[in-house]
Amino acid sequence: MKLAKLLPLIISDKERHAKWLNTLSLMENTGARKISACEDPLTVTYIVLKHAAEEHRHAFYLKKQVEKTGDSLCPTYQPAYLLAPTQSRYYLNQLDIDVCRYLKNELGVKGQELRFAAYLLVTYAIEVRADELYPLYQEALEKAGSRVNVKSIILEEEGHLEEMISQLKNFAAEWQLHAGKAVELESRLFSGWIEALAADLSLQ
Ligand SMILES: [Fe+2]
Ligand SMILES: [Fe+2]
């Protein structure tokens, strides 16, 4: 199952669409909170602060877009207001766990160093995914003539990927090897998420 096939099914039904936006909002919020959690109180940089602020904005902006789907509101992140609630929560948390395990085994890092390295790799993999997912979603929205739009998110996510690459270059000379591993771990989890979404949509 491919996301491009699911998107028209999601957008054509206002309740599903509201839940989809709320689910993306949850995932952005999870990402934002993870970035904030690995900030070092003394050495946090402009880039990290900017990144956390923008991910928090994405969560808020997507929540706000729910209004455009009609009167089906998703007031909270409780399971009834999400698509594939269990997998949607699992995806980012598990990616964090998988990347931390990889970093401990391969680089032997721990403590704050591990937290920062995990931030770099997890976020890189997510930005690669975001740069694929949001343009696909925007295209499907335009095809369906929807009032929802995610263009401002697309712009910021492109900037994030560039920022992650420049931070990764400072982190390790062989950054591409580690980043490739993170993308591999993410791809497996993303496929599981898409399967769960498809299963959830067929039930609704
Ligand atoms: Fe984002
Ligand atoms: Fe981002």
Side-chain angles (χ1 to χ4, degrees), residues 36-75:
S36 298
C38 58
E39 280 168 15
D40 182 282
L42 292 179
T43 59
V44 64
T45 60
Y46 171 91
I47 282 190
V48 177
L49 289 175
K50 171 175 172 286
H51 199 167
E54 288 177 353
E55 299 302 1
H56 278 292
R57 190 192 78 81
H58 296 170
F60 166 72
Y61 179 83
L62 289 161
K63 189 80 168 181
K64 188 127 182 66
Q65 296 296 298
V66 171
E67 291 167 14
K68 294 187 184 169
T69 61
D71 41 25
S72 39
L73 293 173
C74 293

mmCIF file of all heavy atoms in Angstrom, residues 36-75:
data_model
loop_
_atom_site.group_PDB
_atom_site.id
_atom_site.type_symbol
_atom_site.label_atom_id
_atom_site.label_comp_id
_atom_site.label_asym_id
_atom_site.label_seq_id
_atom_site.Cartn_x
_atom_site.Cartn_y
_atom_site.Cartn_z
ATOM 1 N N SER A 36 12.809 19.583 22.001
ATOM 2 C CA SER A 36 12.949 20.379 23.229
ATOM 3 C C SER A 36 13.596 19.549 24.341
ATOM 4 O O SER A 36 14.409 20.064 25.109
ATOM 5 C CB SER A 36 11.583 20.884 23.699
ATOM 6 O OG SER A 36 11.027 21.718 22.709
ATOM 7 N N ALA A 37 13.244 18.271 24.406
ATOM 8 C CA ALA A 37 13.769 17.423 25.482
ATOM 9 C C ALA A 37 15.275 17.191 25.363
ATOM 10 O O ALA A 37 15.937 16.950 26.359
ATOM 11 C CB ALA A 37 13.025 16.091 25.500
ATOM 12 N N CYS A 38 15.813 17.239 24.138
ATOM 13 C CA CYS A 38 17.264 16.978 24.062
ATOM 14 C C CYS A 38 18.083 18.276 23.972
ATOM 15 O O CYS A 38 19.279 18.242 23.744
ATOM 16 C CB CYS A 38 17.612 15.975 22.968
ATOM 17 S SG CYS A 38 17.095 16.460 21.373
ATOM 18 N N GLU A 39 17.418 19.404 24.206
ATOM 19 C CA GLU A 39 18.171 20.661 24.265
ATOM 20 C C GLU A 39 19.057 20.681 25.511
ATOM 21 O O GLU A 39 18.586 20.352 26.601
ATOM 22 C CB GLU A 39 17.198 21.847 24.389
ATOM 23 C CG GLU A 39 16.575 22.251 23.093
ATOM 24 C CD GLU A 39 15.416 23.220 23.301
ATOM 25 O OE1 GLU A 39 15.269 23.784 24.396
ATOM 26 O OE2 GLU A 39 14.642 23.379 22.349
ATOM 27 N N ASP A 40 20.309 21.084 25.309
ATOM 28 C CA ASP A 40 21.184 21.266 26.464
ATOM 29 C C ASP A 40 20.927 22.672 26.998
ATOM 30 O O ASP A 40 20.970 23.641 26.235
ATOM 31 C CB ASP A 40 22.648 21.109 26.034
ATOM 32 C CG ASP A 40 23.581 21.241 27.229
ATOM 33 O OD1 ASP A 40 23.833 22.388 27.676
ATOM 34 O OD2 ASP A 40 24.033 20.198 27.718
ATOM 35 N N PRO A 41 20.649 22.807 28.304
ATOM 36 C CA PRO A 41 20.297 24.136 28.824
ATOM 37 C C PRO A 41 21.406 25.179 28.663
ATOM 38 O O PRO A 41 21.133 26.383 28.645
ATOM 39 C CB PRO A 41 19.994 23.880 30.302
ATOM 40 C CG PRO A 41 20.374 22.479 30.595
ATOM 41 C CD PRO A 41 20.560 21.753 29.308
ATOM 42 N N LEU A 42 22.651 24.742 28.518
ATOM 43 C CA LEU A 42 23.745 25.708 28.382
ATOM 44 C C LEU A 42 24.180 25.930 26.941
ATOM 45 O O LEU A 42 24.514 27.038 26.544
ATOM 46 C CB LEU A 42 24.967 25.231 29.186
ATOM 47 C CG LEU A 42 24.830 25.235 30.706
ATOM 48 C CD1 LEU A 42 26.107 24.718 31.345
ATOM 49 C CD2 LEU A 42 24.528 26.646 31.215
ATOM 50 N N THR A 43 24.192 24.856 26.161
ATOM 51 C CA THR A 43 24.824 24.971 24.838
ATOM 52 C C THR A 43 23.827 24.934 23.677
ATOM 53 O O THR A 43 24.232 24.833 22.529
ATOM 54 C CB THR A 43 25.871 23.854 24.647
ATOM 55 O OG1 THR A 43 25.193 22.592 24.791
ATOM 56 C CG2 THR A 43 26.978 23.949 25.665
ATOM 57 N N VAL A 44 22.532 25.004 23.987
ATOM 58 C CA VAL A 44 21.530 24.967 22.909
ATOM 59 C C VAL A 44 21.773 26.122 21.923
ATOM 60 O O VAL A 44 22.128 27.231 22.327
ATOM 61 C CB VAL A 44 20.095 24.988 23.502
ATOM 62 C CG1 VAL A 44 19.811 26.275 24.251
ATOM 63 C CG2 VAL A 44 19.055 24.767 22.414
ATOM 64 N N THR A 45 21.620 25.806 20.632
ATOM 65 C CA THR A 45 21.955 26.787 19.597
ATOM 66 C C THR A 45 20.699 27.416 18.962
ATOM 67 O O THR A 45 19.587 26.924 19.156
ATOM 68 C CB THR A 45 22.744 26.115 18.452
ATOM 69 O OG1 THR A 45 21.908 25.080 17.912
ATOM 70 C CG2 THR A 45 24.049 25.527 18.939
ATOM 71 N N TYR A 46 20.945 28.449 18.177
ATOM 72 C CA TYR A 46 19.893 29.129 17.411
ATOM 73 C C TYR A 46 19.116 28.113 16.550
ATOM 74 O O TYR A 46 17.885 28.117 16.520
ATOM 75 C CB TYR A 46 20.573 30.195 16.536
ATOM 76 C CG TYR A 46 19.683 30.863 15.517
ATOM 77 C CD1 TYR A 46 18.992 32.026 15.824
ATOM 78 C CD2 TYR A 46 19.567 30.339 14.226
ATOM 79 C CE1 TYR A 46 18.185 32.644 14.886
ATOM 80 C CE2 TYR A 46 18.761 30.950 13.281
ATOM 81 C CZ TYR A 46 18.072 32.098 13.606
ATOM 82 O OH TYR A 46 17.278 32.703 12.681
ATOM 83 N N ILE A 47 19.865 27.244 15.860
ATOM 84 C CA ILE A 47 19.219 26.280 14.946
ATOM 85 C C ILE A 47 18.265 25.359 15.699
ATOM 86 O O ILE A 47 17.152 25.089 15.242
ATOM 87 C CB ILE A 47 20.285 25.437 14.182
ATOM 88 C CG1 ILE A 47 20.882 26.261 13.051
ATOM 89 C CG2 ILE A 47 19.704 24.146 13.625
ATOM 90 C CD1 ILE A 47 21.744 25.483 12.086
ATOM 91 N N VAL A 48 18.698 24.869 16.857
ATOM 92 C CA VAL A 48 17.857 23.944 17.617
ATOM 93 C C VAL A 48 16.604 24.665 18.140
ATOM 94 O O VAL A 48 15.487 24.135 18.066
ATOM 95 C CB VAL A 48 18.654 23.268 18.760
ATOM 96 C CG1 VAL A 48 17.751 22.375 19.595
ATOM 97 C CG2 VAL A 48 19.823 22.459 18.197
ATOM 98 N N LEU A 49 16.780 25.886 18.622
ATOM 99 C CA LEU A 49 15.623 26.663 19.107
ATOM 100 C C LEU A 49 14.638 26.934 17.971
ATOM 101 O O LEU A 49 13.423 26.799 18.130
ATOM 102 C CB LEU A 49 16.079 28.004 19.703
ATOM 103 C CG LEU A 49 16.811 27.938 21.044
ATOM 104 C CD1 LEU A 49 17.293 29.328 21.444
ATOM 105 C CD2 LEU A 49 15.912 27.370 22.138
ATOM 106 N N LYS A 50 15.163 27.312 16.827
ATOM 107 C CA LYS A 50 14.324 27.609 15.663
ATOM 108 C C LYS A 50 13.562 26.343 15.253
ATOM 109 O O LYS A 50 12.365 26.380 14.987
ATOM 110 C CB LYS A 50 15.224 28.085 14.514
ATOM 111 C CG LYS A 50 14.532 28.238 13.172
ATOM 112 C CD LYS A 50 15.508 28.833 12.157
ATOM 113 C CE LYS A 50 14.972 28.834 10.749
ATOM 114 N NZ LYS A 50 14.959 27.522 10.105
ATOM 115 N N HIS A 51 14.289 25.242 15.242
ATOM 116 C CA HIS A 51 13.688 23.985 14.813
ATOM 117 C C HIS A 51 12.540 23.572 15.743
ATOM 118 O O HIS A 51 11.451 23.230 15.291
ATOM 119 C CB HIS A 51 14.789 22.915 14.788
ATOM 120 C CG HIS A 51 14.417 21.732 13.964
ATOM 121 N ND1 HIS A 51 15.314 20.788 13.580
ATOM 122 C CD2 HIS A 51 13.225 21.345 13.469
ATOM 123 C CE1 HIS A 51 14.684 19.874 12.877
ATOM 124 N NE2 HIS A 51 13.424 20.182 12.793
ATOM 125 N N ALA A 52 12.786 23.638 17.044
ATOM 126 C CA ALA A 52 11.735 23.268 18.007
ATOM 127 C C ALA A 52 10.520 24.182 17.838
ATOM 128 O O ALA A 52 9.380 23.719 17.801
ATOM 129 C CB ALA A 52 12.282 23.357 19.430
ATOM 130 N N ALA A 53 10.773 25.477 17.696
ATOM 131 C CA ALA A 53 9.664 26.433 17.553
ATOM 132 C C ALA A 53 8.837 26.123 16.305
ATOM 133 O O ALA A 53 7.606 26.160 16.330
ATOM 134 C CB ALA A 53 10.215 27.857 17.484
ATOM 135 N N GLU A 54 9.528 25.806 15.206
ATOM 136 C CA GLU A 54 8.792 25.555 13.957
ATOM 137 C C GLU A 54 8.011 24.240 14.017
ATOM 138 O O GLU A 54 6.899 24.158 13.493
ATOM 139 C CB GLU A 54 9.763 25.595 12.772
ATOM 140 C CG GLU A 54 10.209 27.032 12.513
ATOM 141 C CD GLU A 54 11.222 27.213 11.408
ATOM 142 O OE1 GLU A 54 11.728 26.209 10.861
ATOM 143 O OE2 GLU A 54 11.535 28.382 11.095
ATOM 144 N N GLU A 55 8.574 23.223 14.659
ATOM 145 C CA GLU A 55 7.824 21.958 14.768
ATOM 146 C C GLU A 55 6.585 22.150 15.654
ATOM 147 O O GLU A 55 5.526 21.598 15.380
ATOM 148 C CB GLU A 55 8.698 20.819 15.303
ATOM 149 C CG GLU A 55 9.919 20.466 14.453
ATOM 150 C CD GLU A 55 9.624 20.066 13.011
ATOM 151 O OE1 GLU A 55 8.452 20.061 12.587
ATOM 152 O OE2 GLU A 55 10.591 19.773 12.290
ATOM 153 N N HIS A 56 6.728 22.943 16.709
ATOM 154 C CA HIS A 56 5.547 23.253 17.540
ATOM 155 C C HIS A 56 4.513 24.006 16.700
ATOM 156 O O HIS A 56 3.319 23.757 16.813
ATOM 157 C CB HIS A 56 5.943 24.085 18.769
ATOM 158 C CG HIS A 56 6.488 23.259 19.895
ATOM 159 N ND1 HIS A 56 5.715 22.375 20.614
ATOM 160 C CD2 HIS A 56 7.733 23.153 20.423
ATOM 161 C CE1 HIS A 56 6.448 21.780 21.543
ATOM 162 N NE2 HIS A 56 7.686 22.228 21.445
ATOM 163 N N ARG A 57 4.975 24.927 15.853
ATOM 164 C CA ARG A 57 4.043 25.662 14.994
ATOM 165 C C ARG A 57 3.311 24.710 14.042
ATOM 166 O O ARG A 57 2.115 24.852 13.812
ATOM 167 C CB ARG A 57 4.779 26.739 14.178
ATOM 168 C CG ARG A 57 3.823 27.689 13.450
ATOM 169 C CD ARG A 57 4.511 28.564 12.422
ATOM 170 N NE ARG A 57 4.799 27.855 11.184
ATOM 171 C CZ ARG A 57 3.912 27.648 10.203
ATOM 172 N NH1 ARG A 57 2.678 28.096 10.303
ATOM 173 N NH2 ARG A 57 4.258 26.982 9.120
ATOM 174 N N HIS A 58 4.036 23.717 13.497
ATOM 175 C CA HIS A 58 3.396 22.762 12.581
ATOM 176 C C HIS A 58 2.253 22.026 13.282
ATOM 177 O O HIS A 58 1.189 21.820 12.712
ATOM 178 C CB HIS A 58 4.396 21.727 12.048
ATOM 179 C CG HIS A 58 5.482 22.332 11.220
ATOM 180 N ND1 HIS A 58 6.587 21.631 10.805
ATOM 181 C CD2 HIS A 58 5.623 23.596 10.737
ATOM 182 C CE1 HIS A 58 7.361 22.432 10.106
ATOM 183 N NE2 HIS A 58 6.801 23.622 10.051
ATOM 184 N N ALA A 59 2.501 21.606 14.521
ATOM 185 C CA ALA A 59 1.464 20.894 15.279
ATOM 186 C C ALA A 59 0.232 21.795 15.440
ATOM 187 O O ALA A 59 -0.903 21.362 15.220
ATOM 188 C CB ALA A 59 1.999 20.489 16.648
ATOM 189 N N PHE A 60 0.460 23.053 15.762
ATOM 190 C CA PHE A 60 -0.635 24.014 15.951
ATOM 191 C C PHE A 60 -1.340 24.293 14.617
ATOM 192 O O PHE A 60 -2.572 24.287 14.528
ATOM 193 C CB PHE A 60 -0.073 25.311 16.556
ATOM 194 C CG PHE A 60 -1.027 26.462 16.472
ATOM 195 C CD1 PHE A 60 -2.159 26.501 17.282
ATOM 196 C CD2 PHE A 60 -0.827 27.494 15.572
ATOM 197 C CE1 PHE A 60 -3.067 27.548 17.190
ATOM 198 C CE2 PHE A 60 -1.731 28.540 15.478
ATOM 199 C CZ PHE A 60 -2.845 28.571 16.291
ATOM 200 N N TYR A 61 -0.550 24.514 13.567
ATOM 201 C CA TYR A 61 -1.106 24.858 12.254
ATOM 202 C C TYR A 61 -1.998 23.721 11.717
ATOM 203 O O TYR A 61 -3.086 23.965 11.197
ATOM 204 C CB TYR A 61 0.045 25.143 11.283
ATOM 205 C CG TYR A 61 -0.408 25.487 9.883
ATOM 206 C CD1 TYR A 61 -0.799 26.772 9.557
ATOM 207 C CD2 TYR A 61 -0.455 24.502 8.898
ATOM 208 C CE1 TYR A 61 -1.239 27.080 8.278
ATOM 209 C CE2 TYR A 61 -0.891 24.803 7.612
ATOM 210 C CZ TYR A 61 -1.280 26.097 7.306
ATOM 211 O OH TYR A 61 -1.718 26.390 6.047
ATOM 212 N N LEU A 62 -1.542 22.478 11.871
ATOM 213 C CA LEU A 62 -2.326 21.334 11.384
ATOM 214 C C LEU A 62 -3.628 21.210 12.177
ATOM 215 O O LEU A 62 -4.679 20.910 11.628
ATOM 216 C CB LEU A 62 -1.501 20.047 11.474
ATOM 217 C CG LEU A 62 -0.355 19.979 10.461
ATOM 218 C CD1 LEU A 62 0.689 18.954 10.894
ATOM 219 C CD2 LEU A 62 -0.867 19.638 9.061
ATOM 220 N N LYS A 63 -3.519 21.450 13.464
ATOM 221 C CA LYS A 63 -4.721 21.423 14.312
ATOM 222 C C LYS A 63 -5.709 22.487 13.822
ATOM 223 O O LYS A 63 -6.910 22.252 13.758
ATOM 224 C CB LYS A 63 -4.287 21.717 15.755
ATOM 225 C CG LYS A 63 -5.348 21.516 16.774
ATOM 226 C CD LYS A 63 -5.446 20.040 17.085
ATOM 227 C CE LYS A 63 -6.280 19.777 18.302
ATOM 228 N NZ LYS A 63 -6.323 18.339 18.572
ATOM 229 N N LYS A 64 -5.193 23.634 13.453
ATOM 230 C CA LYS A 64 -6.033 24.726 12.986
ATOM 231 C C LYS A 64 -6.697 24.362 11.646
ATOM 232 O O LYS A 64 -7.832 24.749 11.398
ATOM 233 C CB LYS A 64 -5.170 25.992 12.864
ATOM 234 C CG LYS A 64 -5.896 27.243 12.567
ATOM 235 C CD LYS A 64 -5.568 28.364 13.550
ATOM 236 C CE LYS A 64 -6.366 29.619 13.249
ATOM 237 N NZ LYS A 64 -7.800 29.445 13.468
ATOM 238 N N GLN A 65 -5.989 23.620 10.807
ATOM 239 C CA GLN A 65 -6.551 23.218 9.519
ATOM 240 C C GLN A 65 -7.765 22.302 9.680
ATOM 241 O O GLN A 65 -8.577 22.168 8.769
ATOM 242 C CB GLN A 65 -5.489 22.497 8.667
ATOM 243 C CG GLN A 65 -4.295 23.346 8.274
ATOM 244 C CD GLN A 65 -4.678 24.496 7.370
ATOM 245 O OE1 GLN A 65 -5.171 24.317 6.265
ATOM 246 N NE2 GLN A 65 -4.475 25.696 7.858
ATOM 247 N N VAL A 66 -7.864 21.622 10.812
ATOM 248 C CA VAL A 66 -9.008 20.723 11.057
ATOM 249 C C VAL A 66 -10.324 21.476 10.858
ATOM 250 O O VAL A 66 -11.280 20.932 10.309
ATOM 251 C CB VAL A 66 -8.937 20.107 12.492
ATOM 252 C CG1 VAL A 66 -10.223 19.351 12.831
ATOM 253 C CG2 VAL A 66 -7.728 19.190 12.636
ATOM 254 N N GLU A 67 -10.340 22.758 11.257
ATOM 255 C CA GLU A 67 -11.561 23.578 11.120
ATOM 256 C C GLU A 67 -12.062 23.613 9.678
ATOM 257 O O GLU A 67 -13.260 23.702 9.430
ATOM 258 C CB GLU A 67 -11.277 25.035 11.541
ATOM 259 C CG GLU A 67 -11.028 25.204 13.018
ATOM 260 C CD GLU A 67 -10.440 26.583 13.346
ATOM 261 O OE1 GLU A 67 -10.472 27.492 12.493
ATOM 262 O OE2 GLU A 67 -9.930 26.728 14.477
ATOM 263 N N LYS A 68 -11.129 23.564 8.727
ATOM 264 C CA LYS A 68 -11.513 23.686 7.308
ATOM 265 C C LYS A 68 -12.175 22.418 6.765
ATOM 266 O O LYS A 68 -12.675 22.414 5.649
ATOM 267 C CB LYS A 68 -10.283 24.006 6.462
ATOM 268 C CG LYS A 68 -9.682 25.364 6.750
ATOM 269 C CD LYS A 68 -8.595 25.649 5.736
ATOM 270 C CE LYS A 68 -7.875 26.949 6.002
ATOM 271 N NZ LYS A 68 -6.684 27.081 5.170
ATOM 272 N N THR A 69 -12.119 21.326 7.510
ATOM 273 C CA THR A 69 -12.709 20.087 7.007
ATOM 274 C C THR A 69 -14.210 20.035 7.281
ATOM 275 O O THR A 69 -14.891 19.121 6.844
ATOM 276 C CB THR A 69 -12.048 18.843 7.640
ATOM 277 O OG1 THR A 69 -12.266 18.905 9.056
ATOM 278 C CG2 THR A 69 -10.571 18.771 7.353
ATOM 279 N N GLY A 70 -14.730 21.000 8.028
ATOM 280 C CA GLY A 70 -16.162 21.007 8.316
ATOM 281 C C GLY A 70 -16.384 21.053 9.803
ATOM 282 O O GLY A 70 -15.549 21.564 10.540
ATOM 283 N N ASP A 71 -17.479 20.447 10.225
ATOM 284 C CA ASP A 71 -17.774 20.573 11.661
ATOM 285 C C ASP A 71 -17.238 19.415 12.505
ATOM 286 O O ASP A 71 -17.483 19.336 13.692
ATOM 287 C CB ASP A 71 -19.272 20.768 11.895
ATOM 288 C CG ASP A 71 -20.110 19.884 11.005
ATOM 289 O OD1 ASP A 71 -19.605 18.825 10.578
ATOM 290 O OD2 ASP A 71 -21.253 20.241 10.729
ATOM 291 N N SER A 72 -16.527 18.492 11.846
ATOM 292 C CA SER A 72 -15.983 17.358 12.613
ATOM 293 C C SER A 72 -14.693 17.786 13.308
ATOM 294 O O SER A 72 -13.637 17.858 12.684
ATOM 295 C CB SER A 72 -15.722 16.176 11.690
ATOM 296 O OG SER A 72 -15.213 16.624 10.476
ATOM 297 N N LEU A 73 -14.787 18.109 14.567
ATOM 298 C CA LEU A 73 -13.625 18.612 15.291
ATOM 299 C C LEU A 73 -12.889 17.482 15.995
ATOM 300 O O LEU A 73 -13.478 16.482 16.379
ATOM 301 C CB LEU A 73 -14.061 19.646 16.332
ATOM 302 C CG LEU A 73 -14.614 20.947 15.759
ATOM 303 C CD1 LEU A 73 -15.174 21.809 16.871
ATOM 304 C CD2 LEU A 73 -13.524 21.708 15.015
ATOM 305 N N CYS A 74 -11.597 17.667 16.134
ATOM 306 C CA CYS A 74 -10.791 16.715 16.887
ATOM 307 C C CYS A 74 -10.142 17.510 18.013
ATOM 308 O O CYS A 74 -9.041 18.022 17.849
ATOM 309 C CB CYS A 74 -9.726 16.090 15.989
ATOM 310 S SG CYS A 74 -10.416 15.043 14.711
ATOM 311 N N PRO A 75 -10.833 17.626 19.135
ATOM 312 C CA PRO A 75 -10.358 18.543 20.175
ATOM 313 C C PRO A 75 -9.073 18.117 20.875
ATOM 314 O O PRO A 75 -8.350 18.974 21.384
ATOM 315 C CB PRO A 75 -11.527 18.588 21.168
ATOM 316 C CG PRO A 75 -12.291 17.333 20.929
ATOM 317 C CD PRO A 75 -12.125 17.006 19.486
#
